[in-house]
Amino acid sequence: MTWLWAIIVGLVLGLIAKAIIPGKQQIPLWLTVIFGMLGSVLGNWLATGIGVNETRGIDWIRHLLQLVGAVVIVGIGDRLWVSMRGHKRQTTS
């Protein structure tokens, strides 16, 4: 069940990150989910580092850090995806 939640959280965070980042992102949905999952892990790591990973009630700061992590990773990942795909097209032409 943990993997299912990780995929769901990754999908939600990835889609929200794509909505926050200006412009159109070129990454496919499967990569959006993976980047969202990585952003969640990054946000959890940051929350643990600053000591706010476990609080009473809803962990708003941890969730915000997860979203920030997803935005960063989706943004960087999209640029890498476009540069790799663009480079690949130029070499085959």
PDB file of all heavy atoms in Angstrom, residues 16-52:
ATOM      1  N   ILE A  16       0.452  19.468  -9.650  1.00  0.00           N
ATOM      2  CA  ILE A  16       0.406  20.806  -9.044  1.00  0.00           C
ATOM      3  C   ILE A  16       1.665  21.585  -9.424  1.00  0.00           C
ATOM      4  O   ILE A  16       1.593  22.774  -9.758  1.00  0.00           O
ATOM      5  CB  ILE A  16       0.235  20.728  -7.515  1.00  0.00           C
ATOM      6  CG1 ILE A  16      -1.141  20.171  -7.161  1.00  0.00           C
ATOM      7  CG2 ILE A  16       0.432  22.101  -6.877  1.00  0.00           C
ATOM      8  CD1 ILE A  16      -1.336  19.882  -5.685  1.00  0.00           C
ATOM      9  N   ALA A  17       2.819  20.921  -9.398  1.00  0.00           N
ATOM     10  CA  ALA A  17       4.070  21.585  -9.778  1.00  0.00           C
ATOM     11  C   ALA A  17       4.019  22.052 -11.222  1.00  0.00           C
ATOM     12  O   ALA A  17       4.447  23.160 -11.541  1.00  0.00           O
ATOM     13  CB  ALA A  17       5.256  20.640  -9.569  1.00  0.00           C
ATOM     14  N   LYS A  18       3.479  21.206 -12.122  1.00  0.00           N
ATOM     15  CA  LYS A  18       3.366  21.611 -13.527  1.00  0.00           C
ATOM     16  C   LYS A  18       2.433  22.816 -13.680  1.00  0.00           C
ATOM     17  O   LYS A  18       2.646  23.656 -14.548  1.00  0.00           O
ATOM     18  CB  LYS A  18       2.861  20.448 -14.377  1.00  0.00           C
ATOM     19  CG  LYS A  18       3.941  19.428 -14.681  1.00  0.00           C
ATOM     20  CD  LYS A  18       3.418  18.279 -15.496  1.00  0.00           C
ATOM     21  CE  LYS A  18       3.335  18.661 -16.949  1.00  0.00           C
ATOM     22  NZ  LYS A  18       3.076  17.492 -17.815  1.00  0.00           N
ATOM     23  N   ALA A  19       1.396  22.888 -12.835  1.00  0.00           N
ATOM     24  CA  ALA A  19       0.469  24.012 -12.890  1.00  0.00           C
ATOM     25  C   ALA A  19       1.106  25.297 -12.358  1.00  0.00           C
ATOM     26  O   ALA A  19       0.792  26.392 -12.827  1.00  0.00           O
ATOM     27  CB  ALA A  19      -0.796  23.694 -12.098  1.00  0.00           C
ATOM     28  N   ILE A  20       2.016  25.161 -11.398  1.00  0.00           N
ATOM     29  CA  ILE A  20       2.664  26.336 -10.811  1.00  0.00           C
ATOM     30  C   ILE A  20       3.733  26.909 -11.738  1.00  0.00           C
ATOM     31  O   ILE A  20       3.867  28.123 -11.867  1.00  0.00           O
ATOM     32  CB  ILE A  20       3.273  25.982  -9.436  1.00  0.00           C
ATOM     33  CG1 ILE A  20       2.152  25.732  -8.432  1.00  0.00           C
ATOM     34  CG2 ILE A  20       4.221  27.067  -8.940  1.00  0.00           C
ATOM     35  CD1 ILE A  20       2.624  25.218  -7.092  1.00  0.00           C
ATOM     36  N   ILE A  21       4.485  26.028 -12.388  1.00  0.00           N
ATOM     37  CA  ILE A  21       5.581  26.474 -13.253  1.00  0.00           C
ATOM     38  C   ILE A  21       4.988  27.150 -14.486  1.00  0.00           C
ATOM     39  O   ILE A  21       4.129  26.578 -15.152  1.00  0.00           O
ATOM     40  CB  ILE A  21       6.468  25.280 -13.665  1.00  0.00           C
ATOM     41  CG1 ILE A  21       7.099  24.646 -12.438  1.00  0.00           C
ATOM     42  CG2 ILE A  21       7.537  25.712 -14.664  1.00  0.00           C
ATOM     43  CD1 ILE A  21       7.809  23.336 -12.719  1.00  0.00           C
ATOM     44  N   PRO A  22       5.450  28.365 -14.801  1.00  0.00           N
ATOM     45  CA  PRO A  22       4.905  29.044 -15.974  1.00  0.00           C
ATOM     46  C   PRO A  22       5.322  28.355 -17.269  1.00  0.00           C
ATOM     47  O   PRO A  22       6.388  27.749 -17.360  1.00  0.00           O
ATOM     48  CB  PRO A  22       5.499  30.452 -15.887  1.00  0.00           C
ATOM     49  CG  PRO A  22       6.603  30.389 -14.910  1.00  0.00           C
ATOM     50  CD  PRO A  22       6.411  29.175 -14.078  1.00  0.00           C
ATOM     51  N   GLY A  23       4.468  28.451 -18.259  1.00  0.00           N
ATOM     52  CA  GLY A  23       4.749  27.845 -19.557  1.00  0.00           C
ATOM     53  C   GLY A  23       4.284  26.400 -19.613  1.00  0.00           C
ATOM     54  O   GLY A  23       3.749  25.850 -18.662  1.00  0.00           O
ATOM     55  N   LYS A  24       4.515  25.795 -20.770  1.00  0.00           N
ATOM     56  CA  LYS A  24       4.112  24.406 -20.986  1.00  0.00           C
ATOM     57  C   LYS A  24       5.306  23.490 -20.770  1.00  0.00           C
ATOM     58  O   LYS A  24       6.363  23.701 -21.333  1.00  0.00           O
ATOM     59  CB  LYS A  24       3.572  24.243 -22.402  1.00  0.00           C
ATOM     60  CG  LYS A  24       3.097  22.855 -22.717  1.00  0.00           C
ATOM     61  CD  LYS A  24       2.427  22.832 -24.075  1.00  0.00           C
ATOM     62  CE  LYS A  24       2.014  21.486 -24.574  1.00  0.00           C
ATOM     63  NZ  LYS A  24       1.861  20.404 -23.730  1.00  0.00           N
ATOM     64  N   GLN A  25       5.100  22.468 -19.951  1.00  0.00           N
ATOM     65  CA  GLN A  25       6.157  21.490 -19.724  1.00  0.00           C
ATOM     66  C   GLN A  25       5.996  20.351 -20.726  1.00  0.00           C
ATOM     67  O   GLN A  25       4.886  19.976 -21.073  1.00  0.00           O
ATOM     68  CB  GLN A  25       6.116  20.943 -18.292  1.00  0.00           C
ATOM     69  CG  GLN A  25       6.547  21.945 -17.244  1.00  0.00           C
ATOM     70  CD  GLN A  25       5.496  23.005 -16.984  1.00  0.00           C
ATOM     71  OE1 GLN A  25       4.339  22.694 -16.870  1.00  0.00           O
ATOM     72  NE2 GLN A  25       5.910  24.253 -16.921  1.00  0.00           N
ATOM     73  N   GLN A  26       7.115  19.809 -21.168  1.00  0.00           N
ATOM     74  CA  GLN A  26       7.112  18.788 -22.209  1.00  0.00           C
ATOM     75  C   GLN A  26       7.208  17.364 -21.665  1.00  0.00           C
ATOM     76  O   GLN A  26       7.156  16.416 -22.440  1.00  0.00           O
ATOM     77  CB  GLN A  26       8.292  19.032 -23.157  1.00  0.00           C
ATOM     78  CG  GLN A  26       8.307  20.407 -23.781  1.00  0.00           C
ATOM     79  CD  GLN A  26       7.094  20.651 -24.662  1.00  0.00           C
ATOM     80  OE1 GLN A  26       6.683  19.764 -25.392  1.00  0.00           O
ATOM     81  NE2 GLN A  26       6.520  21.829 -24.574  1.00  0.00           N
ATOM     82  N   ILE A  27       7.366  17.197 -20.357  1.00  0.00           N
ATOM     83  CA  ILE A  27       7.559  15.855 -19.812  1.00  0.00           C
ATOM     84  C   ILE A  27       6.254  15.065 -19.861  1.00  0.00           C
ATOM     85  O   ILE A  27       5.176  15.622 -19.670  1.00  0.00           O
ATOM     86  CB  ILE A  27       8.124  15.892 -18.378  1.00  0.00           C
ATOM     87  CG1 ILE A  27       7.221  16.688 -17.435  1.00  0.00           C
ATOM     88  CG2 ILE A  27       9.526  16.417 -18.353  1.00  0.00           C
ATOM     89  CD1 ILE A  27       7.642  16.638 -15.983  1.00  0.00           C
ATOM     90  N   PRO A  28       6.343  13.758 -20.109  1.00  0.00           N
ATOM     91  CA  PRO A  28       5.132  12.928 -20.123  1.00  0.00           C
ATOM     92  C   PRO A  28       4.604  12.685 -18.711  1.00  0.00           C
ATOM     93  O   PRO A  28       5.283  12.953 -17.717  1.00  0.00           O
ATOM     94  CB  PRO A  28       5.615  11.619 -20.763  1.00  0.00           C
ATOM     95  CG  PRO A  28       7.083  11.595 -20.570  1.00  0.00           C
ATOM     96  CD  PRO A  28       7.536  13.026 -20.498  1.00  0.00           C
ATOM     97  N   LEU A  29       3.392  12.152 -18.637  1.00  0.00           N
ATOM     98  CA  LEU A  29       2.734  11.942 -17.350  1.00  0.00           C
ATOM     99  C   LEU A  29       3.528  10.996 -16.450  1.00  0.00           C
ATOM    100  O   LEU A  29       3.652  11.240 -15.254  1.00  0.00           O
ATOM    101  CB  LEU A  29       1.314  11.408 -17.558  1.00  0.00           C
ATOM    102  CG  LEU A  29       0.481  11.202 -16.297  1.00  0.00           C
ATOM    103  CD1 LEU A  29       0.293  12.526 -15.560  1.00  0.00           C
ATOM    104  CD2 LEU A  29      -0.848  10.587 -16.624  1.00  0.00           C
ATOM    105  N   TRP A  30       4.073   9.923 -16.996  1.00  0.00           N
ATOM    106  CA  TRP A  30       4.813   8.971 -16.164  1.00  0.00           C
ATOM    107  C   TRP A  30       6.023   9.641 -15.522  1.00  0.00           C
ATOM    108  O   TRP A  30       6.364   9.350 -14.386  1.00  0.00           O
ATOM    109  CB  TRP A  30       5.217   7.730 -16.958  1.00  0.00           C
ATOM    110  CG  TRP A  30       6.168   7.968 -18.083  1.00  0.00           C
ATOM    111  CD1 TRP A  30       5.851   8.234 -19.387  1.00  0.00           C
ATOM    112  CD2 TRP A  30       7.595   7.974 -18.019  1.00  0.00           C
ATOM    113  NE1 TRP A  30       6.990   8.400 -20.125  1.00  0.00           N
ATOM    114  CE2 TRP A  30       8.080   8.249 -19.323  1.00  0.00           C
ATOM    115  CE3 TRP A  30       8.514   7.778 -17.002  1.00  0.00           C
ATOM    116  CZ2 TRP A  30       9.427   8.329 -19.616  1.00  0.00           C
ATOM    117  CZ3 TRP A  30       9.863   7.855 -17.298  1.00  0.00           C
ATOM    118  CH2 TRP A  30      10.301   8.126 -18.588  1.00  0.00           C
ATOM    119  N   LEU A  31       6.666  10.556 -16.246  1.00  0.00           N
ATOM    120  CA  LEU A  31       7.819  11.253 -15.695  1.00  0.00           C
ATOM    121  C   LEU A  31       7.380  12.309 -14.675  1.00  0.00           C
ATOM    122  O   LEU A  31       8.079  12.556 -13.699  1.00  0.00           O
ATOM    123  CB  LEU A  31       8.630  11.884 -16.826  1.00  0.00           C
ATOM    124  CG  LEU A  31      10.075  12.209 -16.554  1.00  0.00           C
ATOM    125  CD1 LEU A  31      10.826  11.005 -16.010  1.00  0.00           C
ATOM    126  CD2 LEU A  31      10.753  12.706 -17.815  1.00  0.00           C
ATOM    127  N   THR A  32       6.211  12.877 -14.885  1.00  0.00           N
ATOM    128  CA  THR A  32       5.645  13.812 -13.915  1.00  0.00           C
ATOM    129  C   THR A  32       5.432  13.111 -12.574  1.00  0.00           C
ATOM    130  O   THR A  32       5.737  13.666 -11.521  1.00  0.00           O
ATOM    131  CB  THR A  32       4.304  14.385 -14.429  1.00  0.00           C
ATOM    132  OG1 THR A  32       4.517  15.028 -15.680  1.00  0.00           O
ATOM    133  CG2 THR A  32       3.699  15.358 -13.444  1.00  0.00           C
ATOM    134  N   VAL A  33       4.919  11.887 -12.617  1.00  0.00           N
ATOM    135  CA  VAL A  33       4.699  11.120 -11.388  1.00  0.00           C
ATOM    136  C   VAL A  33       6.026  10.834 -10.689  1.00  0.00           C
ATOM    137  O   VAL A  33       6.159  11.013  -9.478  1.00  0.00           O
ATOM    138  CB  VAL A  33       3.952   9.805 -11.694  1.00  0.00           C
ATOM    139  CG1 VAL A  33       3.888   8.921 -10.461  1.00  0.00           C
ATOM    140  CG2 VAL A  33       2.553  10.089 -12.208  1.00  0.00           C
ATOM    141  N   ILE A  34       7.026  10.408 -11.454  1.00  0.00           N
ATOM    142  CA  ILE A  34       8.336  10.107 -10.869  1.00  0.00           C
ATOM    143  C   ILE A  34       8.953  11.358 -10.257  1.00  0.00           C
ATOM    144  O   ILE A  34       9.470  11.327  -9.135  1.00  0.00           O
ATOM    145  CB  ILE A  34       9.273   9.476 -11.912  1.00  0.00           C
ATOM    146  CG1 ILE A  34       8.757   8.081 -12.272  1.00  0.00           C
ATOM    147  CG2 ILE A  34      10.712   9.422 -11.408  1.00  0.00           C
ATOM    148  CD1 ILE A  34       9.469   7.423 -13.417  1.00  0.00           C
ATOM    149  N   PHE A  35       8.887  12.475 -10.980  1.00  0.00           N
ATOM    150  CA  PHE A  35       9.441  13.725 -10.454  1.00  0.00           C
ATOM    151  C   PHE A  35       8.673  14.189  -9.219  1.00  0.00           C
ATOM    152  O   PHE A  35       9.251  14.740  -8.287  1.00  0.00           O
ATOM    153  CB  PHE A  35       9.453  14.811 -11.520  1.00  0.00           C
ATOM    154  CG  PHE A  35      10.473  14.603 -12.595  1.00  0.00           C
ATOM    155  CD1 PHE A  35      10.352  15.262 -13.802  1.00  0.00           C
ATOM    156  CD2 PHE A  35      11.557  13.762 -12.421  1.00  0.00           C
ATOM    157  CE1 PHE A  35      11.293  15.093 -14.800  1.00  0.00           C
ATOM    158  CE2 PHE A  35      12.502  13.576 -13.406  1.00  0.00           C
ATOM    159  CZ  PHE A  35      12.378  14.246 -14.606  1.00  0.00           C
ATOM    160  N   GLY A  36       7.353  13.989  -9.208  1.00  0.00           N
ATOM    161  CA  GLY A  36       6.561  14.327  -8.031  1.00  0.00           C
ATOM    162  C   GLY A  36       6.952  13.479  -6.830  1.00  0.00           C
ATOM    163  O   GLY A  36       7.033  13.968  -5.703  1.00  0.00           O
ATOM    164  N   MET A  37       7.216  12.198  -7.064  1.00  0.00           N
ATOM    165  CA  MET A  37       7.665  11.319  -5.990  1.00  0.00           C
ATOM    166  C   MET A  37       9.030  11.756  -5.469  1.00  0.00           C
ATOM    167  O   MET A  37       9.263  11.791  -4.256  1.00  0.00           O
ATOM    168  CB  MET A  37       7.724   9.871  -6.480  1.00  0.00           C
ATOM    169  CG  MET A  37       6.361   9.262  -6.740  1.00  0.00           C
ATOM    170  SD  MET A  37       6.412   7.698  -7.631  1.00  0.00           S
ATOM    171  CE  MET A  37       7.264   6.648  -6.480  1.00  0.00           C
ATOM    172  N   LEU A  38       9.938  12.097  -6.371  1.00  0.00           N
ATOM    173  CA  LEU A  38      11.258  12.572  -5.964  1.00  0.00           C
ATOM    174  C   LEU A  38      11.155  13.886  -5.192  1.00  0.00           C
ATOM    175  O   LEU A  38      11.878  14.101  -4.212  1.00  0.00           O
ATOM    176  CB  LEU A  38      12.171  12.744  -7.176  1.00  0.00           C
ATOM    177  CG  LEU A  38      12.610  11.456  -7.868  1.00  0.00           C
ATOM    178  CD1 LEU A  38      13.363  11.773  -9.159  1.00  0.00           C
ATOM    179  CD2 LEU A  38      13.445  10.609  -6.948  1.00  0.00           C
ATOM    180  N   GLY A  39      10.259  14.764  -5.617  1.00  0.00           N
ATOM    181  CA  GLY A  39      10.032  16.020  -4.896  1.00  0.00           C
ATOM    182  C   GLY A  39       9.499  15.779  -3.501  1.00  0.00           C
ATOM    183  O   GLY A  39       9.879  16.463  -2.546  1.00  0.00           O
ATOM    184  N   SER A  40       8.641  14.780  -3.363  1.00  0.00           N
ATOM    185  CA  SER A  40       8.121  14.419  -2.052  1.00  0.00           C
ATOM    186  C   SER A  40       9.239  13.926  -1.143  1.00  0.00           C
ATOM    187  O   SER A  40       9.316  14.310   0.027  1.00  0.00           O
ATOM    188  CB  SER A  40       7.051  13.337  -2.204  1.00  0.00           C
ATOM    189  OG  SER A  40       6.609  12.896  -0.960  1.00  0.00           O
ATOM    190  N   VAL A  41      10.118  13.097  -1.685  1.00  0.00           N
ATOM    191  CA  VAL A  41      11.247  12.595  -0.901  1.00  0.00           C
ATOM    192  C   VAL A  41      12.167  13.745  -0.500  1.00  0.00           C
ATOM    193  O   VAL A  41      12.618  13.833   0.642  1.00  0.00           O
ATOM    194  CB  VAL A  41      12.019  11.518  -1.695  1.00  0.00           C
ATOM    195  CG1 VAL A  41      13.330  11.162  -1.037  1.00  0.00           C
ATOM    196  CG2 VAL A  41      11.155  10.282  -1.869  1.00  0.00           C
ATOM    197  N   LEU A  42      12.435  14.654  -1.449  1.00  0.00           N
ATOM    198  CA  LEU A  42      13.275  15.812  -1.156  1.00  0.00           C
ATOM    199  C   LEU A  42      12.643  16.683  -0.066  1.00  0.00           C
ATOM    200  O   LEU A  42      13.326  17.116   0.866  1.00  0.00           O
ATOM    201  CB  LEU A  42      13.509  16.646  -2.424  1.00  0.00           C
ATOM    202  CG  LEU A  42      14.316  17.925  -2.267  1.00  0.00           C
ATOM    203  CD1 LEU A  42      15.735  17.617  -1.809  1.00  0.00           C
ATOM    204  CD2 LEU A  42      14.329  18.701  -3.576  1.00  0.00           C
ATOM    205  N   GLY A  43      11.345  16.924  -0.159  1.00  0.00           N
ATOM    206  CA  GLY A  43      10.648  17.716   0.857  1.00  0.00           C
ATOM    207  C   GLY A  43      10.670  17.057   2.220  1.00  0.00           C
ATOM    208  O   GLY A  43      10.855  17.722   3.243  1.00  0.00           O
ATOM    209  N   ASN A  44      10.495  15.739   2.254  1.00  0.00           N
ATOM    210  CA  ASN A  44      10.572  15.019   3.534  1.00  0.00           C
ATOM    211  C   ASN A  44      11.971  15.109   4.126  1.00  0.00           C
ATOM    212  O   ASN A  44      12.130  15.254   5.338  1.00  0.00           O
ATOM    213  CB  ASN A  44      10.180  13.552   3.347  1.00  0.00           C
ATOM    214  CG  ASN A  44       8.691  13.372   3.217  1.00  0.00           C
ATOM    215  OD1 ASN A  44       7.907  14.200   3.642  1.00  0.00           O
ATOM    216  ND2 ASN A  44       8.296  12.279   2.592  1.00  0.00           N
ATOM    217  N   TRP A  45      12.983  15.002   3.270  1.00  0.00           N
ATOM    218  CA  TRP A  45      14.362  15.100   3.737  1.00  0.00           C
ATOM    219  C   TRP A  45      14.632  16.486   4.335  1.00  0.00           C
ATOM    220  O   TRP A  45      15.232  16.605   5.398  1.00  0.00           O
ATOM    221  CB  TRP A  45      15.307  14.810   2.576  1.00  0.00           C
ATOM    222  CG  TRP A  45      16.749  14.917   2.931  1.00  0.00           C
ATOM    223  CD1 TRP A  45      17.498  14.024   3.646  1.00  0.00           C
ATOM    224  CD2 TRP A  45      17.615  16.004   2.601  1.00  0.00           C
ATOM    225  NE1 TRP A  45      18.782  14.484   3.763  1.00  0.00           N
ATOM    226  CE2 TRP A  45      18.885  15.698   3.140  1.00  0.00           C
ATOM    227  CE3 TRP A  45      17.455  17.184   1.893  1.00  0.00           C
ATOM    228  CZ2 TRP A  45      19.971  16.555   2.993  1.00  0.00           C
ATOM    229  CZ3 TRP A  45      18.533  18.028   1.747  1.00  0.00           C
ATOM    230  CH2 TRP A  45      19.774  17.710   2.297  1.00  0.00           C
ATOM    231  N   LEU A  46      14.162  17.527   3.642  1.00  0.00           N
ATOM    232  CA  LEU A  46      14.339  18.891   4.159  1.00  0.00           C
ATOM    233  C   LEU A  46      13.578  19.084   5.473  1.00  0.00           C
ATOM    234  O   LEU A  46      14.086  19.717   6.407  1.00  0.00           O
ATOM    235  CB  LEU A  46      13.872  19.919   3.132  1.00  0.00           C
ATOM    236  CG  LEU A  46      14.755  20.096   1.906  1.00  0.00           C
ATOM    237  CD1 LEU A  46      14.057  20.986   0.878  1.00  0.00           C
ATOM    238  CD2 LEU A  46      16.088  20.693   2.301  1.00  0.00           C
ATOM    239  N   ALA A  47      12.357  18.553   5.542  1.00  0.00           N
ATOM    240  CA  ALA A  47      11.563  18.684   6.768  1.00  0.00           C
ATOM    241  C   ALA A  47      12.241  17.988   7.936  1.00  0.00           C
ATOM    242  O   ALA A  47      12.256  18.510   9.055  1.00  0.00           O
ATOM    243  CB  ALA A  47      10.165  18.106   6.542  1.00  0.00           C
ATOM    244  N   THR A  48      12.829  16.829   7.677  1.00  0.00           N
ATOM    245  CA  THR A  48      13.560  16.129   8.727  1.00  0.00           C
ATOM    246  C   THR A  48      14.792  16.928   9.144  1.00  0.00           C
ATOM    247  O   THR A  48      15.106  17.028  10.336  1.00  0.00           O
ATOM    248  CB  THR A  48      13.983  14.726   8.245  1.00  0.00           C
ATOM    249  OG1 THR A  48      12.806  13.992   7.883  1.00  0.00           O
ATOM    250  CG2 THR A  48      14.732  13.965   9.323  1.00  0.00           C
ATOM    251  N   GLY A  49      15.464  17.528   8.170  1.00  0.00           N
ATOM    252  CA  GLY A  49      16.665  18.305   8.450  1.00  0.00           C
ATOM    253  C   GLY A  49      16.406  19.519   9.325  1.00  0.00           C
ATOM    254  O   GLY A  49      17.238  19.874  10.165  1.00  0.00           O
ATOM    255  N   ILE A  50      15.250  20.149   9.152  1.00  0.00           N
ATOM    256  CA  ILE A  50      14.951  21.328   9.964  1.00  0.00           C
ATOM    257  C   ILE A  50      14.059  20.993  11.163  1.00  0.00           C
ATOM    258  O   ILE A  50      13.694  21.875  11.931  1.00  0.00           O
ATOM    259  CB  ILE A  50      14.331  22.466   9.128  1.00  0.00           C
ATOM    260  CG1 ILE A  50      13.008  22.055   8.508  1.00  0.00           C
ATOM    261  CG2 ILE A  50      15.303  22.946   8.071  1.00  0.00           C
ATOM    262  CD1 ILE A  50      12.288  23.183   7.782  1.00  0.00           C
ATOM    263  N   GLY A  51      13.705  19.710  11.313  1.00  0.00           N
ATOM    264  CA  GLY A  51      12.983  19.262  12.498  1.00  0.00           C
ATOM    265  C   GLY A  51      11.488  19.471  12.493  1.00  0.00           C
ATOM    266  O   GLY A  51      10.876  19.557  13.556  1.00  0.00           O
ATOM    267  N   VAL A  52      10.868  19.548  11.325  1.00  0.00           N
ATOM    268  CA  VAL A  52       9.416  19.750  11.272  1.00  0.00           C
ATOM    269  C   VAL A  52       8.700  18.595  10.567  1.00  0.00           C
ATOM    270  O   VAL A  52       7.578  18.751  10.111  1.00  0.00           O
ATOM    271  CB  VAL A  52       9.057  21.084  10.564  1.00  0.00           C
ATOM    272  CG1 VAL A  52       9.554  22.261  11.353  1.00  0.00           C
ATOM    273  CG2 VAL A  52       9.591  21.108   9.147  1.00  0.00           C
TER     274      VAL A  52
END
